[in-house]
Amino acid sequence: MAEMSPRKVRRLGWLFMLGLPLYGFALDFVLLLLTYVVLASIAPSVLGEVAASPARFAAWIVLVRLPMMLAYALAVGWRGWMALVIRGEFPDPPVRKGWRRALVKVRDWGADAAWSVMAALIVFDHVADPGDARVWQLVVVTAVGPFLLPESVKGLFWLLRWWWRRRRTYHARHGRPDEEPINI
């Protein structure tokens, strides 16, 4: 791949910065909507009015949550953003190993949960009435659901892969180089 000029990198950086809110809104909206739809089919009494119109509540919560997400992204990665849009350089992320990587993940997940809790409290208290549902149950579902939904899908695929590899008829495609392939 050819080296890009700093001018093109700056232009792409600005386009990325302008497209980030749209991407963040779309991803968060879909995850929250799926969370509400799945929970509405399992336990509609927990959601109250949210079960009747999950898209409306998901859109409100994501709209309130979006500025918090963008402010956090700019606060945490301001050096990288400035290098991208001013100098046209895309710096490598710092290499984090062990505890530092775990702490960064926990920090990001905690911040994500805090934005979701604050946005849900704002929406359910001031913007839209959730009806007869308990607000704290809705807040917990709003904060934890979008995180657990992708993790549960990853867990199902992990279990499927684990099962597939432990079958008696399973043979790995890539053996050690000194082994002969097994022809059945």
Side-chain angles (χ1 to χ4, degrees), residues 88-100:
E89 299 172 356
F90 195 73
D92 293 330
V95 177
R96 292 186 174 102
K97 296 179 183 176
W99 282 102
R100 294 198 82 145

Side-chain angles (χ1 to χ4, degrees), residues 22-124:
L22 182 63
Y23 172 75
F25 178 82
L27 181 68
D28 289 343
F29 176 75
V30 168
L31 285 175
L32 193 56
L33 181 64
L34 285 175
T35 300
Y36 287 157
V37 168
V38 167
L39 194 62
S41 65
I42 296 171
S45 63
V46 173
L47 294 179
E49 291 294 320
V50 176
S53 60
R56 179 177 65 132
F57 283 95
W60 274 112
I61 290 171
V62 171
L63 279 174
V64 171
R65 186 177 178 273
L66 189 63
M68 296 179 226
M69 179 193 74
L70 293 175
Y72 179 76
L74 287 175
V76 169
W78 67 272
R79 287 186 181 113
W81 290 108
M82 290 301 115
L84 181 64
V85 297
I86 292 175
R87 293 189 308 263
E89 299 172 356
F90 195 73
D92 293 330
V95 177
R96 292 186 174 102
K97 296 179 183 176
W99 282 102
R100 294 198 82 145
R101 181 172 39 190
L103 287 175
V104 167
K105 280 187 176 183
V106 168
R107 176 195 71 189
D108 292 342
W109 290 339
D112 192 34
W115 306 324
S116 296
V117 166
M118 287 187 291
L121 286 174
I122 290 168
V123 168
F124 295 140

